[in-house]
Amino acid sequence: MPDDSWARIAPILPSPPQRRINIRDDAGQTTAPPWQASSSSCARGAAWRDVRRQETGCSGVTAWRRLRDWTEAGVWPRLHAAILAELRKAGLLEMDDCAIDGSHVRSPKGGAHTGPSPVDRGRPGSKHHIVVDRRGTPLAVSLTGGNRHTMSLSSSRSSVPSHRIRGLRGRPRHLPQRLYADRGYDFDKYRRPLRRRGIAPKIARRGAPHGSGLGKIRWVVERTFAWLHQFKRLRIRYEMRADLHLGLLQLACGIICLRNLRAAF
């Protein structure tokens, strides 16, 4: 990992827990090897038992335990928010126009936030929901069951980032001016809360012919899903704990934002 990237991540990670020496765990490890193992498992999709100590510097069990501890400590939302603040400070966020969409993934082991997927013959699955800016930078992400409607994320509160993205002085606008979505989000009872918050819903009407022109802006959310699914651990959900899978999803969003930041300089 580049030194500049680790300099952003290291202050956010908590220190490893102190355990007795006779417990079989790499408790004396620094946070760098477990972080490398977690990010490597997310990108390659390898099982935790297949994580090689020679490559990452720690065992797969230690990497999973650190992932659990960091997820419960709320590390990944803070990491995502910190990198978003740097992007906004550098003028790399275009939040006036945002897009929202969802994507189904299989969940063969089941667990919380799973359900029969309507696009996979009723097999258990989960659904990733994401909000992106005009450039496709992920701003907010959520996890629901595979049988949940797409509008479960597009309510008045969760259709936009729940946290205020820092990076600018004064009182800048934190909500998008326009929110783009496909026909699956075409419900008037969800348009009204957006309008009350000053957000203009740009949603294609069901039954209307194609060619509305909204896809010229909304396509970036599809590209962001392609970026996310390059992390093989996110293509199929193997974690029974929903918070761990959501943590990996937030980790992937943070890595994507970090790549965009490093590519701009």
Side-chain angles (χ1 to χ4, degrees), residues 62-80:
T62 298
W64 183 89
R65 288 173 177 170
R66 295 296 182 273
L67 175 66
R68 176 200 59 193
D69 297 340
W70 295 342
T71 301
E72 295 175 351
V75 169
W76 313 124
R78 295 202 304 270
L79 174 62
H80 189 199

Side-chain angles (χ1 to χ4, degrees), residues 137-176:
T137 303
L139 303 178
V141 69
S142 178
L143 177 69
T144 62
N147 58 336
R148 293 288 298 276
H149 196 270
T150 53
M151 292 308 299
S152 60
L153 186 70
S154 62
S155 61
S156 60
R157 289 188 176 182
S158 56
S159 60
V160 292
S162 58
H163 58 275
R164 293 192 172 188
I165 300 177
R166 302 179 180 272
L168 297 179
R169 294 184 178 181
R171 300 179 62 184
R173 182 182 176 92
H174 294 283
L175 300 179

Side-chain angles (χ1 to χ4, degrees), residues 30-222:
T30 61
T31 55
W35 158 261
Q36 294 176 357
S38 299
S39 58
S40 175
S41 178
C42 181
R44 300 180 181 180
W48 296 109
R49 63 177 179 273
D50 296 333
V51 175
R52 298 182 179 180
R53 187 190 299 266
Q54 295 80 3
E55 297 179 359
T56 60
C58 71
S59 64
V61 175
T62 298
W64 183 89
R65 288 173 177 170
R66 295 296 182 273
L67 175 66
R68 176 200 59 193
D69 297 340
W70 295 342
T71 301
E72 295 175 351
V75 169
W76 313 124
R78 295 202 304 270
L79 174 62
H80 189 199
I83 302 176
L84 284 176
E86 291 193 43
L87 285 170
R88 193 173 192 184
K89 184 178 181 180
L92 300 177
L93 286 184
E94 298 182 13
M95 297 180 56
D96 289 342
D97 296 327
C98 290
I100 184 175
D101 205 353
S103 177
H104 287 269
V105 294
R106 289 187 177 183
S107 181
K109 295 185 177 181
H113 290 197
T114 60
S117 175
V119 298
D120 195 17
R121 298 183 180 181
R123 296 187 179 94
S126 299
K127 199 169 187 180
H128 298 161
H129 305 267
I130 193 170
V131 180
V132 302
D133 73 338
R134 183 67 179 267
R135 300 188 179 195
T137 303
L139 303 178
V141 69
S142 178
L143 177 69
T144 62
N147 58 336
R148 293 288 298 276
H149 196 270
T150 53
M151 292 308 299
S152 60
L153 186 70
S154 62
S155 61
S156 60
R157 289 188 176 182
S158 56
S159 60
V160 292
S162 58
H163 58 275
R164 293 192 172 188
I165 300 177
R166 302 179 180 272
L168 297 179
R169 294 184 178 181
R171 300 179 62 184
R173 182 182 176 92
H174 294 283
L175 300 179
Q177 295 183 1
R178 294 166 293 273
L179 183 65
Y180 291 81
D182 58 16
R183 288 171 173 80
Y185 296 82
D186 183 22
F187 291 90
D188 289 337
K189 65 179 180 179
Y190 297 109
R191 295 174 185 263
R192 290 190 291 269
L194 294 176
R195 292 193 179 99
R196 284 197 296 266
R197 303 189 68 186
I199 305 173
K202 299 294 183 179
I203 304 175
R205 292 287 184 178
R206 290 175 295 171
H210 293 274
S212 62
L214 300 179
K216 295 180 181 179
I217 298 178
R218 202 191 65 83
W219 68 272
V220 293
V221 70
E222 305 292 349

